[in-house]
Amino acid sequence: MSTSAQGPKSSENLIPVRWGVLGASDFASKVSLPSMKRGPLTQLAALASRDIVKARAAAQSLGIPRAYGSYEELLGDPEIEAIYNPLPNHLHVEWTARAARAGKHVLCEKPIALSARDAETLVAVQRETGKLIAEAFMIRNHPQWHQARDWVRSGEIGDLVSVQAAFSYFNRDAANIRNRKEVGGGALYDIGCYVVNTSRFLFGREPARAMALIERDPDFGTDRLTSGLLDYGGAHLTFTCSTQAAAYQRFNAFGTKGRIEIEIPFNAPADQPCKIFLDDGSTLNCSSAKVTSFPVVDQYHLQSEAFSRAIRTGGPVENPIEVAVGNMRVIDALFRSAESGRWEKI
């Protein structure tokens, strides 16, 4: 059985927000920025790199009118209202804080920081400046996740007792930033953070303790294989993430009366429909699962539009800084557990 879910409503008739971009990373240039520029509320007005030649080339390829040869120049542009920060992980806190203090709202890529303590400094910055600061978990804007949470909240699968997730890809390029420990590389920071975030999203509460097992790359020092267990008080998350395994991702939520499976939970494609499954468990071959399909949407587009709308309307943002701090507390506990070999409180 298959049903079709409705896509998001169109944007209100609001003035577009003028955005500036910190850096010209391949990820931003090829993935997030092309999606962001399609939004009627998101106007990409300027891009900065520490290399002006690189900045101009990236800006030209994306149709961004202004390019700057330093981040400071961009933050000094009085026309820029919001900053998108896709810089390397170890630069997230510093430049998010500097952008907010320069009078800009900030959407910062995940992970927001490399520790909860560092992330907490941004709570104070937001309070000090009055500017919105959010962590860019684009998945929280995709309708498939809102449908899954609605089913959990309505009791469609009974009581949620267990979440199981896997997320992996293979990358041993020594020059790739994901394999550089000193800038925040590794599986847990890069992809395990999605599993932590979405489990908190569905359970609607914080886990009490964490346990993890980590296998580190002998050359890079990064965690190339991390498996974790979170205790949600009578309910669990179990997960594995890896930067050196076959590419795969899947998410299952088990309840006392049914199961939700998300086929492509994290890198939902922007050019084809997505589907999730609701299964009452009456057959073991999943033939009893009902399929819900979603129209084609681009979660990066939805994310920037939602943030722009929050700026214009004063409404809430997805994954605000307080929620981001909670994610880092869990990640900190997982890293501590891998070292101590025991449960760690969150």
Side-chain angles (χ1 to χ4, degrees), residues 89-90 114 174 176-186 189 216-217 219-223 335 339:
N89 295 344
H90 70 303
L114 298 183
N176 191 286
I177 200 167
R178 295 167 183 81
N179 293 320
R180 294 173 54 196
K181 184 179 180 182
E182 71 277 10
V183 300
Y189 279 141
R216 292 193 177 274
D217 186 281
D219 299 317
F220 308 143
T222 54
D223 61 307
F335 276 126
E339 293 295 323

Side-chain angles (χ1 to χ4, degrees), residues 106-331:
V106 187
L107 180 64
C108 179
E109 270 301 331
K110 55 77 197 168
I112 194 78
L114 298 183
S115 71
R117 178 173 301 203
D118 286 346
E120 285 167 355
T121 66
L122 296 178
V123 177
V125 169
Q126 180 172 261
R127 190 179 305 117
E128 166 198 335
T129 62
K131 297 300 175 181
L132 296 178
I133 298 176
E135 188 175 26
F137 273 105
M138 73 293 182
I139 50 178
R140 284 208 179 206
N141 297 274
H142 199 291
Q144 67 179 355
W145 281 103
H146 290 272
Q147 178 65 81
R149 185 175 62 176
D150 288 347
W151 281 338
V152 170
R153 286 177 170 176
S154 67
E156 191 74 29
I157 61 170
D159 296 328
L160 180 61
V161 296
S162 176
V163 167
Q164 294 181 350
F167 196 180
S168 59
Y169 60 82
F170 193 94
N171 182 336
R172 283 216 81 242
D173 178 5
N176 191 286
I177 200 167
R178 295 167 183 81
N179 293 320
R180 294 173 54 196
K181 184 179 180 182
E182 71 277 10
V183 300
L188 187 52
Y189 279 141
D190 188 41
I191 53 180
C193 62
Y194 286 105
V195 177
V196 172
N197 183 284
T198 50
S199 69
R200 294 169 60 229
F201 183 73
L202 284 197
F203 278 114
R205 61 184 186 271
E206 298 299 326
R209 57 181 183 158
M211 181 175 282
L213 190 63
I214 286 178
E215 169 70 19
R216 292 193 177 274
D217 186 281
D219 299 317
F220 308 143
T222 54
D223 61 307
R224 62 182 177 184
L225 174 65
T226 294
S227 296
L229 178 62
L230 299 184
D231 178 4
Y232 277 92
H236 303 153
L237 161 71
T238 58
F239 74 92
T240 291
C241 60
S242 177
T243 58
Q244 294 181 31
Y248 181 77
Q249 55 185 266
R250 197 61 54 94
F251 188 99
N252 271 286
F254 297 91
T256 53
K257 296 179 180 178
R259 174 184 67 91
I260 300 167
E261 180 176 350
I262 304 181
E263 185 178 51
I264 309 178
F266 309 119
N267 296 122
D271 59 354
Q272 58 184 283
C274 287
K275 56 187 176 182
I276 63 177
F277 305 87
L278 181 63
D279 192 354
D280 63 8
S282 58
T283 64
L284 293 180
N285 65 1
C286 301
S287 61
S288 53
K290 298 177 181 179
V291 183
T292 297
S293 298
F294 297 86
V296 175
V297 296
D298 186 326
Q299 56 190 351
Y300 291 99
H301 158 82
L302 296 178
Q303 175 180 251
S304 61
E305 288 295 278
F307 195 77
S308 293
R309 189 176 300 109
I311 290 172
R312 285 289 180 253
T313 66
V317 298
E318 284 286 353
N319 219 72
I321 184 59
E322 294 83 3
V323 173
V325 170
N327 225 56
M328 292 311 307
R329 287 177 181 148
V330 177
I331 290 171

Side-chain angles (χ1 to χ4, degrees), residues 31-53:
V31 180
S32 56
L33 293 179
S35 299
M36 291 173 66
K37 70 175 295 186
R38 289 197 290 268
L41 292 181
T42 303
Q43 179 184 334
L44 296 182
L47 181 146
S49 170
R50 288 171 172 167
D51 180 340
I52 186 59
V53 174

